[in-house]
Amino acid sequence: MHDLIRELYPLCRSITGDGVRRTLEIVSRELPLEVHEVPTGTQVLDWVVPKEWNVREAWIRGPTGETVVDFQDSNLHLVGYSQPVHARMSLAELQPHLYSLPEQPDWIPYRNSFYRDAWGFCLSHRKLESLVAGEYEVRIDSTLSDGSLTYAEAVLRGSSDREVLLSCHVCHPSLCNDNLSGISLLTLLARYLGQLSLRYSYRILFVPVTIGAITWLARNENRLSKIDHGLVVTLVGDSGRSTYKRSRRGDAPIDRILAHVLKHRGEHQVVDFSPYGYDERQFCSPGFDLPVGCLMRTPHGQYPEYHTSADDLGFVKPAALADSLEKVVAAIDVLENDARYLNLYPKAEPQLGRRGIYRALADRGSDGGREMALLWVLNLSDGAHSLLDIAERSGAPFQVIVDAASVLVDHALLKRVEAGDRP
Amino acid sequence: MHDLIRELYPLCRSITGDGVRRTLEIVSRELPLEVHEVPTGTQVLDWVVPKEWNVREAWIRGPTGETVVDFQDSNLHLVGYSQPVHARMSLAELQPHLYSLPEQPDWIPYRNSFYRDAWGFCLSHRKLESLVAGEYEVRIDSTLSDGSLTYAEAVLRGSSDREVLLSCHVCHPSLCNDNLSGISLLTLLARYLGQLSLRYSYRILFVPVTIGAITWLARNENRLSKIDHGLVVTLVGDSGRSTYKRSRRGDAPIDRILAHVLKHRGEHQVVDFSPYGYDERQFCSPGFDLPVGCLMRTPHGQYPEYHTSADDLGFVKPAALADSLEKVVAAIDVLENDARYLNLYPKAEPQLGRRGIYRALADRGSDGGREMALLWVLNLSDGAHSLLDIAERSGAPFQVIVDAASVLVDHALLKRVEAGDRP
Amino acid sequence: MHDLIRELYPLCRSITGDGVRRTLEIVSRELPLEVHEVPTGTQVLDWVVPKEWNVREAWIRGPTGETVVDFQDSNLHLVGYSQPVHARMSLAELQPHLYSLPEQPDWIPYRNSFYRDAWGFCLSHRKLESLVAGEYEVRIDSTLSDGSLTYAEAVLRGSSDREVLLSCHVCHPSLCNDNLSGISLLTLLARYLGQLSLRYSYRILFVPVTIGAITWLARNENRLSKIDHGLVVTLVGDSGRSTYKRSRRGDAPIDRILAHVLKHRGEHQVVDFSPYGYDERQFCSPGFDLPVGCLMRTPHGQYPEYHTSADDLGFVKPAALADSLEKVVAAIDVLENDARYLNLYPKAEPQLGRRGIYRALADRGSDGGREMALLWVLNLSDGAHSLLDIAERSGAPFQVIVDAASVLVDHALLKRVEAGDRP
C-alpha cells in the first residue's frame, strides 16, 4: 500500500482536473475502474458541477527577482481553485493572499477557495516572516473553464445483487493520510476481494469529496435501494487508535459489525454519527439515510499534521495501514458469513463427546474458548439469533463462532436457516 | 422578586385564614388573580375543607409577668392551627407544648398541628433553656371556626387552549425559601409571559399545600385533560444547585425539557419522582397522573435552615432567584418553540455557501457551533425529530437549534410540520 | 444443615450407583422423596443412560507391598467410573494413570472418566513425588454393568398447579460445597415449605448432574409448561459473596426476584447466563428455555478448593449455608406474595391521618421508611405495577412493600387484582 501512496503523492489533485484523472489511471493498473466524466454545469441534486481547474505553474518572485514560493516545490503552496493571476504588488497588497501556521512555523497549510472567486498561496510561517518590503511578482497560470468532474467506481460481483458500498475521496493534493491512505487501502482490498467467491456485490467509489459523492448519488438514485451496508474509509494510516463513526441510524448492522471487529482488536473508539466529516454526510442525509459508517484512525482536526505538509509519506505508517486493512477485511468477513442457524438437537445438550468433537468434560483443558463457542452456538441457534448475535452475547470473536458453527454443521448438529438469512 | 418577598414575609399564612387572603391581595397588584373561597366542610375528593384558623394574639408570660414568647415577634412562635388557650400552668405542664432545636439553639422551628386538636409554641433552644420554674400564663387568642379555604389562579391565554400548569404553595408563614421564593418567581414569570404572544395557555396556581391542591383538583377534574405539561415551583431562592424532580411518568416532555435546560446551565441534579414532597404528589397521583415535575434548588430537608426561622430574607439570594427564573423561562421557551420541521432538500446536503448562509467550508472559523447546528437541523429534520430531539442528539442548546431552524426557514430550506407539532 | 452434610460426606456418589441411592435414603428421612430408577440403555433425548458403576475396593501397593493409595481413605482417590483393573506394572507404566495438583501439593484432585473406558487414581502431589521406582500392584474392584440411574423428586403442592422447579445435583463424592451444600439447603427448605400454605407447587429435584437432569427432562416433557420459575442451587456453603446467574431469558421474573433479594442482602454479584455450569445448561437449552437461574456463592473454578479434597467439612460454613437458605426463602416469599393491587382512592392522596394509619405530616419522625412505603404502594397501585415493581422503583425491600400493602388492604384503601395476578 505504501508504494502506491508514494507514487500518488506528488500529483496535484483537486475536486476536478488532471490530477484526479492521473490518480485514477494509476489505481486502474491495480483494479478495473469504470471512470466517469460529468460535464461542468451539470445539475446534481442541489449542486452544479463546477468549472474544471488545472494549473501549469504558480509562483511569487521577490523584489530582487528570486522565486520565493513555487508550486513546483509543493502543490500545497497554491490555494486550491485559485483564479489565474499575473500582477506586481507590494508586500502589503500581497499579504492578504498569504496563509501560514504561526504555531507550526515549518509546515505549509492546505487551503481551498472552492465555489468562490479568489486566489492565494500557502507557505511556512518562517518563510512568510522572511519576506522583505518591496515589489513582488505573482503568477498563477491556472485555468478555470468548462470541463468535467472525474470519478471512478469498481464493482466486484457476488452471488447476490445486494451491495456493500465502500467509498474514499480522491481530491486532496500532496496529503498522505488524508486521503492517499484510504485510496490505497480500498485498492488493495478490492484486489483481495477479487480472489474470493463473494456473497454480496461490492461497489467501491473513488470520488472527490462532497461534490463527487453528490454527483454519484444524483446519478445512482435508482440503485440506492440495493445498498445493505456501507463504509467511508479515510485517515487510515496514522499511528493513532482506530475510530469508527456510526451511521446516522446508529444501530445498522454495519455499526454493530465494526463495533464488534474493533472490540477484539485493541484500543479503539466508536463515536456517534454527526453531520460533519467526510462523505458519510451525504450518504446519511435524511433523504437517503443509507447505512454507511466511517472508519478512521485519529479523526480529522484531532492531530496537528491534519491539512498541512506534515501529513506526508513519513506520517503514514505501513503497520497502521495494514492494521486498518485487516479490520476492514474482518468486517467483510462478518458481512459474508453472518447467518442464522438452527440447533437440530435443541432439547438439552446433544452428547458432544460421543461424536468425537468434544472431549469428555472431566478432561477439559486449555481449549475452553473453542468448546465454549460450541456450547454458545448450540444454545442460541434457535433461528432467532445470528452468528453475530452469538458472538456479541458470548464475548467471543466472530471468527471463533463461525468456526464452531462450521464444526457443528459438519456433525449434523446444526443447519443454516436459508430464507432471509442476511444479518 | 426580592422586594415582593420582603413585603410578604411578615404575614402569618397557614392553610386557611387571613394571611393567605392578604398574600393573594398583594400578588394581585402584580397580575390579575381569580381568588376562590371554598367553605369549611366542603368535601374535596377524600378530604374535607377544614375550619378556618386566625390568630389575634399569642404569648407566654413568665413567673414575674414578663412576656417570654410573643407571636408578634415572629409568627413561627405559634404552632400552626393551635387551638385557643388561656391558662396558668407550671413550667413542667407547659414543657410538652414547647418545641425547639437543640442542635440549632438560636433558631425557631416551624411546626403545625393540622387536622388535630392541639396547641403549642416554638422557640429558640437558648430561650427554652433560660425558662425558670414557676407559674406561666399562656394565651392563644385564635379562632378555629367555619370559614373558607382561599386559593387563587391566574390564566394567561395562548393561541391554543392546551394548558401548562404552574403551581406554588402559599401556606407557609415567615419562611422565605419555602415558599415566598416560589410565589415571587411565578408572579414575575406571569408578568413576563403576559407580554408575549403565547402558543400554550398558562394556568398558575397559588394554593395551600396538599388541601389546596386537592381542592383545586376536585373542582377542576373536567379540565385536567387540557393539561399537557406542568411544574411545581418551590425552594428556588437558596444558593444551592438546581434540582429537577421528574414527573411520575418519568419521560414526559416536561421531564426531557427540564433535563435539557439544566444540562446547559451549570451544576444541577435530576432526580426521579417519589410520592413525597410538594403538590406534585397530588398532581401525580395514579388517578390523575399529570405530567407535572418539580423545580427546586436544595430539596426540602436537605439544608439545615429548612422549616426554621433561619429560612429568612437573607437566606434567599437575589442571584439564585434570578437564575431559577431564567431556567423556567428557558423551559417555557422550549414548550413554546419546539416543533418538527421538514428539510426541503433532504437528498445530500443543500449547497449552503451559494445561499450566503454558510461560508465556504475551507474557511471554517470559530463559529463552528452555529454552523454545526445548521447541519444537525438539516440532517434530522425528517418530520420525525423535533427541535428538542435535535438539541438532545447534537448536544447543542435548544436556543441555538431554534435559531438555526429559523435561518433555514428564512432561506426556504426548511418547513414547519403543521399538524400535530406539539412535542 | 451441617449435620446432614456431615452424614452424607463419606459416601461415594457418582452419576449412578449405590452412593446416590444411599444419599437419597438419608435425605428421605427428612422429607418424602419419590425415587426413580431408570435402566441402563434407556434413551433419554440425545443421550443413553450409562452402565451403573459401583466400587468395592481400589488401591495401589508399592514395591515393598505397602498400600500407597487406598479408596477407603478417600473416595476421591479413585477416578470416577474407573474400569476394573488388577495388574502389576512399573511406576513408569502407572504414571499416566495418576493425577495430582502440583500447585496444591497436599490436596487430592477430583476427576472422572464418564463415557470413556479408562481408569486412574488421584493423590496428593507430595505423595506422588514420594513414589519410588519398582513394581506396583494396582487393584480396582469396580463393576460397570447394566443397572440403573437413580434420581429423586419431592413435590409440595400449593393451591395452584403452576410449579416452581428447584434442583440440585447428587453425583459428587466427598465434596462438601459441591454439592452437599445444595442438597442440604433444599432438604431444609422443603421441610420449611412443608409447614406453609403455598400458592405455587414446588418440585425439588435431586439428580446426577447432566445425565440426571436430561433424564428428568426426557421423562417430564409434558409437564414443563407448568413451570413458571426455577432455580438450580449449588455451591451455597463457602464464605464468598452470593452469585446469581440469570436464566437464558435474562429478564424472567426469577431473574428480577433474585436480583432484588440479593440487592438488599449485602455484597453479591449477578451474572449473565452462559451455557456452561450446572443443570441450568439443560433447563435453558433452546428447545426448553425454562426460566431457571442458578444461585451460588463463589462460582465453580473460581476458588482453589474447587474439585479437590479441600472442599471438605471445614470449607462449608454454617453461617454461609444459613445466609444462602435465607435468600432462597426470601425469593420464595416474593414468588408467593407478589401481586398487583388497585388503589381505591386513586385521585390525589387519601387522607391517611384521619384513618389512624398515618400521623399528621407535621409530626413525621423516624419511621419514614414505612410511611414512604405506604405512599409508594398507593401511588403505583394502578393495576399495572406489581408489588415487586413497586419495591424495585421505590428502593424498599419487598417485605416492607408487602407489609404496607397489607395495612392498606386492612383499611379498605387497596384491593388485590384477582385475575392474572401472577408476577
Side-chain angles (χ1 to χ4, degrees):
Chain A
M1 283 188 281
H2 215 260
D3 290 344
L4 183 61
I5 290 174
R6 199 174 300 274
E7 184 172 1
L8 297 173
Y9 183 60
L11 301 175
C12 178
R13 282 166 292 273
S14 189
I15 53 175
T16 62
D18 291 330
V20 174
R21 275 187 204 97
R22 179 69 191 130
T23 296
L24 297 178
E25 257 175 55
I26 292 171
V27 169
S28 71
R29 290 195 322 241
E30 309 285 330
L31 79 160
L33 285 186
E34 193 179 329
V35 177
H36 302 265
E37 298 281 352
V38 183
T40 297
T42 305
Q43 182 80 26
V44 285
L45 300 170
D46 187 52
W47 299 59
V48 174
V49 172
K51 294 196 167 168
E52 183 176 327
W53 183 64
N54 285 293
V55 183
R56 267 179 299 270
E57 61 173 359
W59 43 255
I60 302 172
R61 289 198 184 130
T64 60
E66 84 289 7
T67 302
V68 294
V69 178
D70 194 337
F71 174 72
Q72 293 221 347
D73 298 336
S74 165
N75 54 39
L76 297 179
H77 276 316
L78 185 60
V79 168
Y81 262 68
S82 279
Q83 296 181 292
V85 172
H86 195 175
R88 292 177 176 277
M89 61 189 74
S90 68
L91 180 58
E93 289 168 303
L94 179 59
Q95 286 275 14
H97 296 275
L98 301 182
Y99 303 95
S100 71
L101 296 168
E103 66 281 13
Q104 297 287 0
D106 291 318
W107 298 354
I108 309 166
Y110 164 57
R111 294 183 75 96
N112 283 300
S113 65
F114 299 146
Y115 315 108
R116 295 182 304 168
D117 295 336
W119 63 268
F121 284 86
C122 298
L123 64 168
S124 75
H125 197 63
R126 218 176 288 283
K127 168 70 77 175
L128 179 68
E129 293 206 304
S130 74
L131 299 183
V132 296
E135 195 186 59
Y136 286 76
E137 181 184 2
V138 177
R139 165 74 164 159
I140 301 178
D141 184 7
S142 65
T143 54
L144 257 169
S145 52
D146 285 352
S148 59
L149 175 144
T150 313
Y151 72 86
E153 53 194 320
V155 179
L156 299 157
R157 303 249 170 249
S159 59
S160 158
D161 67 346
R162 305 300 308 170
E163 290 191 2
V164 178
L165 185 74
L166 300 166
S167 178
C168 65
H169 63 275
V170 295
C171 51
H172 284 33
S174 292
L175 300 174
C176 276
N177 201 32
D178 185 7
N179 188 28
L180 297 179
S181 67
I183 296 169
S184 68
L185 188 151
L186 287 188
T187 302
L188 255 78
L189 177 73
R191 290 184 54 177
Y192 168 75
L193 293 179
Q195 303 160 11
L196 305 181
S197 167
L198 297 165
R199 171 184 179 184
Y200 282 104
S201 294
Y202 291 77
R203 183 171 300 271
I204 305 176
L205 304 187
F206 297 85
V207 293
V209 81
T210 307
I211 185 68
I214 290 169
T215 299
W216 183 84
L217 283 163
R219 292 159 56 102
N220 291 276
E221 270 199 68
N222 63 342
R223 72 162 63 249
L224 299 183
S225 62
K226 289 200 186 304
I227 296 173
D228 282 345
H229 316 281
L231 196 62
V232 168
V233 176
T234 179
L235 312 179
V236 285
D238 64 278
S239 53
R241 63 180 171 175
S242 288
T243 299
Y244 176 68
K245 175 182 169 182
R246 293 188 183 95
S247 74
R248 180 180 186 268
R249 299 182 187 181
D251 61 353
I254 192 71
D255 299 320
R256 289 179 54 202
I257 289 169
L258 266 293
H260 177 79
V261 162
L262 295 187
K263 177 184 156 191
H264 289 281
R265 284 166 178 82
E267 213 194 334
H268 69 280
Q269 65 176 337
V270 177
V271 299
D272 278 331
F273 176 78
S274 75
Y276 189 61
Y278 293 95
D279 285 330
E280 69 277 8
R281 295 165 65 164
Q282 312 306 331
F283 299 127
C284 295
S285 57
F288 298 128
D289 197 20
L290 295 173
V292 176
C294 178
L295 184 69
M296 305 170 268
R297 298 188 79 90
T298 308
H300 45 91
Q302 298 184 18
Y303 53 94
E305 297 85 355
Y306 175 72
H307 275 197
T308 76
S309 56
D311 179 2
D312 61 11
L313 288 164
F315 183 65
V316 166
K317 309 294 182 198
L321 274 175
D323 177 73
S324 297
L325 177 58
E326 195 272 323
K327 285 164 177 168
V328 178
V329 168
I332 288 175
D333 188 57
V334 180
L335 285 173
E336 289 290 315
N337 293 297
D338 196 20
R340 285 178 291 123
Y341 287 83
L342 263 185
N343 177 346
L344 299 173
Y345 293 81
K347 294 180 174 180
E349 291 171 5
Q351 194 179 3
L352 299 177
R354 158 162 64 87
R355 291 177 171 85
I357 48 172
Y358 198 60
R359 294 166 294 136
L361 288 187
D363 218 26
R364 288 197 135 246
S366 60
D367 194 18
R370 188 163 162 277
E371 291 176 11
M372 277 307 291
L374 291 173
L375 294 176
W376 273 113
V377 172
L378 285 169
N379 189 268
L380 292 179
S381 287
D382 51 9
H385 296 89
S386 73
L387 295 185
L388 180 59
D389 293 333
I390 299 173
E392 287 181 342
R393 183 149 167 195
S394 70
F398 182 80
Q399 193 52 56
V400 171
I401 295 296
V402 167
D403 290 348
S406 170
V407 166
L408 292 169
V409 167
D410 289 349
H411 287 81
L413 289 167
L414 203 66
K415 173 178 96 162
R416 183 161 169 156
V417 177
E418 288 305 327
D421 63 343
R422 264 183 293 119
Chain B
M1 284 186 282
H2 216 260
D3 290 345
L4 183 60
I5 290 175
R6 199 175 298 275
E7 183 173 1
L8 296 173
Y9 183 59
L11 300 176
C12 178
R13 280 165 295 273
S14 187
I15 53 175
T16 62
D18 290 331
V20 175
R21 275 187 203 99
R22 180 69 190 129
T23 296
L24 298 178
E25 257 175 54
I26 293 170
V27 169
S28 69
R29 288 194 324 241
E30 308 286 330
L31 79 158
L33 285 186
E34 192 179 331
V35 178
H36 302 265
E37 298 282 352
V38 183
T40 297
T42 304
Q43 182 79 29
V44 284
L45 300 169
D46 188 53
W47 299 59
V48 173
V49 172
K51 292 195 170 173
E52 182 176 328
W53 183 65
N54 285 294
V55 183
R56 266 178 300 269
E57 61 174 359
W59 42 256
I60 302 172
R61 288 195 185 133
T64 60
E66 85 287 7
T67 301
V68 293
V69 178
D70 194 338
F71 173 73
Q72 293 221 347
D73 297 337
S74 165
N75 54 39
L76 296 178
H77 275 316
L78 185 61
V79 168
Y81 262 68
S82 279
Q83 296 181 292
V85 171
H86 195 174
R88 291 177 175 278
M89 61 189 72
S90 69
L91 180 58
E93 289 169 305
L94 178 59
Q95 286 275 15
H97 296 275
L98 301 182
Y99 303 94
S100 71
L101 296 168
E103 65 280 13
Q104 297 286 2
D106 291 319
W107 297 355
I108 308 166
Y110 164 57
R111 293 182 76 96
N112 284 300
S113 63
F114 299 148
Y115 314 108
R116 292 182 305 166
D117 295 336
W119 62 269
F121 284 86
C122 297
L123 65 170
S124 75
H125 197 64
R126 218 176 288 283
K127 168 70 79 174
L128 179 68
E129 293 205 303
S130 73
L131 299 183
V132 296
E135 194 185 61
Y136 285 77
E137 181 183 359
V138 176
R139 166 74 165 159
I140 302 178
D141 183 8
S142 66
T143 55
L144 258 169
S145 51
D146 286 353
S148 59
L149 176 144
T150 312
Y151 73 86
E153 52 194 320
V155 179
L156 299 158
R157 303 250 168 248
S159 59
S160 158
D161 67 347
R162 305 302 306 171
E163 289 191 2
V164 178
L165 185 74
L166 299 166
S167 177
C168 65
H169 62 274
V170 294
C171 52
H172 283 32
S174 293
L175 299 173
C176 274
N177 200 33
D178 184 9
N179 190 27
L180 296 180
S181 68
I183 296 168
S184 68
L185 187 153
L186 287 188
T187 301
L188 255 76
L189 176 73
R191 288 183 56 178
Y192 167 74
L193 293 179
Q195 303 159 10
L196 305 181
S197 168
L198 297 166
R199 171 183 179 185
Y200 282 104
S201 295
Y202 290 78
R203 183 172 301 272
I204 304 177
L205 304 187
F206 297 86
V207 292
V209 81
T210 308
I211 185 68
I214 290 170
T215 299
W216 182 84
L217 284 163
R219 292 159 57 102
N220 291 276
E221 271 198 67
N222 64 341
R223 73 162 63 249
L224 300 183
S225 63
K226 288 198 187 306
I227 297 173
D228 280 347
H229 315 283
L231 195 62
V232 168
V233 176
T234 180
L235 312 178
V236 286
D238 64 278
S239 52
R241 63 179 173 176
S242 288
T243 298
Y244 176 68
K245 175 182 169 183
R246 293 189 184 95
S247 75
R248 180 180 186 267
R249 299 182 187 181
D251 61 353
I254 192 74
D255 298 322
R256 290 180 54 203
I257 290 169
L258 266 293
H260 177 79
V261 162
L262 294 187
K263 178 184 156 193
H264 288 281
R265 284 167 178 81
E267 212 194 333
H268 69 281
Q269 64 176 337
V270 177
V271 300
D272 279 330
F273 177 77
S274 74
Y276 189 62
Y278 292 94
D279 286 329
E280 68 277 9
R281 296 165 64 163
Q282 312 307 331
F283 300 127
C284 294
S285 56
F288 298 128
D289 197 21
L290 295 173
V292 176
C294 178
L295 183 68
M296 306 170 267
R297 298 186 80 90
T298 310
H300 45 91
Q302 297 184 19
Y303 52 95
E305 296 84 353
Y306 175 72
H307 275 195
T308 76
S309 56
D311 179 1
D312 61 11
L313 287 165
F315 183 65
V316 167
K317 309 295 182 198
L321 274 175
D323 176 73
S324 296
L325 176 60
E326 195 273 324
K327 286 163 177 168
V328 177
V329 167
I332 287 174
D333 189 58
V334 180
L335 285 172
E336 289 290 315
N337 293 299
D338 196 20
R340 286 178 290 123
Y341 287 81
L342 264 185
N343 176 346
L344 298 173
Y345 293 82
K347 294 181 175 181
E349 291 171 6
Q351 195 180 2
L352 299 177
R354 156 162 65 88
R355 291 176 171 87
I357 49 172
Y358 198 58
R359 292 168 294 135
L361 287 187
D363 218 27
R364 289 199 132 242
S366 59
D367 195 17
R370 188 163 161 279
E371 290 176 13
M372 277 306 292
L374 291 173
L375 295 176
W376 274 112
V377 172
L378 285 169
N379 189 270
L380 292 179
S381 288
D382 51 10
H385 295 88
S386 73
L387 294 185
L388 180 58
D389 293 333
I390 299 173
E392 286 180 344
R393 183 150 168 193
S394 69
F398 182 81
Q399 193 54 54
V400 171
I401 296 297
V402 168
D403 290 348
S406 170
V407 166
L408 293 168
V409 167
D410 290 348
H411 287 80
L413 289 166
L414 204 66
K415 170 180 100 162
R416 183 162 171 156
V417 177
E418 288 306 327
D421 62 345
R422 263 182 295 119
Chain C
M1 284 187 279
H2 214 262
D3 290 346
L4 182 61
I5 291 175
R6 198 173 300 273
E7 184 173 359
L8 296 173
Y9 182 59
L11 301 175
C12 178
R13 281 164 295 273
S14 188
I15 54 174
T16 62
D18 291 331
V20 175
R21 275 186 203 99
R22 180 69 191 132
T23 297
L24 298 177
E25 256 174 56
I26 292 169
V27 169
S28 70
R29 288 193 325 239
E30 308 286 328
L31 79 158
L33 285 186
E34 194 178 329
V35 178
H36 302 266
E37 297 283 350
V38 183
T40 297
T42 305
Q43 182 80 30
V44 285
L45 300 170
D46 189 52
W47 299 59
V48 173
V49 172
K51 292 197 171 171
E52 182 176 327
W53 183 65
N54 285 294
V55 184
R56 268 178 299 270
E57 62 173 1
W59 42 256
I60 302 172
R61 289 198 184 130
T64 59
E66 83 290 5
T67 302
V68 294
V69 178
D70 194 338
F71 173 72
Q72 292 222 347
D73 297 337
S74 165
N75 54 39
L76 296 178
H77 276 316
L78 185 61
V79 168
Y81 261 68
S82 279
Q83 294 181 294
V85 171
H86 196 174
R88 290 177 177 277
M89 60 189 75
S90 69
L91 180 58
E93 291 168 302
L94 179 58
Q95 285 274 17
H97 297 275
L98 301 182
Y99 303 95
S100 72
L101 297 168
E103 64 282 13
Q104 298 286 1
D106 292 318
W107 297 355
I108 309 164
Y110 164 57
R111 293 184 77 95
N112 284 300
S113 64
F114 299 146
Y115 315 107
R116 294 182 303 167
D117 295 335
W119 63 267
F121 285 86
C122 297
L123 65 170
S124 74
H125 198 64
R126 218 175 288 284
K127 168 71 79 174
L128 179 69
E129 294 207 303
S130 74
L131 299 183
V132 295
E135 194 186 59
Y136 285 76
E137 181 183 0
V138 177
R139 165 74 166 160
I140 301 179
D141 183 6
S142 66
T143 54
L144 258 168
S145 52
D146 285 354
S148 60
L149 175 145
T150 312
Y151 73 85
E153 52 194 322
V155 179
L156 299 158
R157 303 248 169 249
S159 58
S160 159
D161 68 346
R162 305 300 308 170
E163 288 190 2
V164 178
L165 187 74
L166 300 166
S167 178
C168 65
H169 63 275
V170 295
C171 52
H172 284 31
S174 292
L175 299 173
C176 276
N177 201 32
D178 185 8
N179 191 26
L180 297 179
S181 69
I183 296 169
S184 69
L185 187 152
L186 287 188
T187 302
L188 254 77
L189 177 72
R191 288 183 56 178
Y192 167 74
L193 293 179
Q195 301 159 13
L196 305 181
S197 168
L198 297 165
R199 171 184 179 184
Y200 281 104
S201 294
Y202 290 78
R203 182 171 301 271
I204 304 177
L205 303 187
F206 297 86
V207 293
V209 81
T210 306
I211 184 68
I214 290 169
T215 299
W216 183 84
L217 283 163
R219 292 158 58 101
N220 290 276
E221 271 199 68
N222 63 341
R223 72 162 65 248
L224 299 182
S225 63
K226 288 198 187 307
I227 296 173
D228 281 346
H229 317 281
L231 196 62
V232 169
V233 176
T234 180
L235 311 179
V236 285
D238 64 278
S239 52
R241 63 178 173 176
S242 287
T243 299
Y244 176 68
K245 175 182 169 182
R246 293 189 184 94
S247 75
R248 180 180 186 267
R249 299 183 187 180
D251 61 353
I254 193 72
D255 300 320
R256 289 178 55 203
I257 290 169
L258 265 293
H260 178 79
V261 161
L262 295 187
K263 178 184 158 194
H264 288 282
R265 284 167 179 80
E267 213 195 331
H268 69 281
Q269 63 176 338
V270 176
V271 299
D272 279 331
F273 177 77
S274 75
Y276 189 61
Y278 292 94
D279 286 329
E280 68 278 8
R281 295 165 65 163
Q282 313 306 331
F283 300 126
C284 295
S285 57
F288 298 128
D289 198 20
L290 295 173
V292 176
C294 178
L295 184 68
M296 303 170 269
R297 299 188 78 91
T298 310
H300 44 93
Q302 297 185 16
Y303 53 95
E305 297 85 352
Y306 176 72
H307 275 196
T308 76
S309 58
D311 179 1
D312 61 10
L313 288 164
F315 183 66
V316 166
K317 307 297 183 196
L321 275 175
D323 177 72
S324 297
L325 176 60
E326 194 272 325
K327 286 163 176 167
V328 177
V329 167
I332 288 175
D333 189 57
V334 180
L335 285 172
E336 289 288 316
N337 293 298
D338 196 19
R340 286 178 289 122
Y341 287 81
L342 264 184
N343 176 345
L344 299 173
Y345 293 81
K347 294 181 177 181
E349 292 172 6
Q351 195 179 1
L352 298 177
R354 158 162 64 87
R355 290 175 172 87
I357 51 172
Y358 199 58
R359 293 167 293 135
L361 288 187
D363 218 26
R364 288 199 133 244
S366 60
D367 195 16
R370 188 164 161 278
E371 291 176 12
M372 278 306 291
L374 292 173
L375 295 176
W376 273 114
V377 172
L378 286 169
N379 189 269
L380 292 178
S381 286
D382 51 10
H385 295 88
S386 73
L387 294 185
L388 180 59
D389 293 333
I390 298 173
E392 287 181 343
R393 181 149 170 195
S394 70
F398 183 80
Q399 193 54 56
V400 170
I401 296 296
V402 167
D403 290 348
S406 169
V407 166
L408 292 169
V409 168
D410 290 348
H411 287 80
L413 289 166
L414 204 66
K415 172 179 96 163
R416 184 163 171 156
V417 176
E418 288 306 326
D421 62 346
R422 263 183 293 122

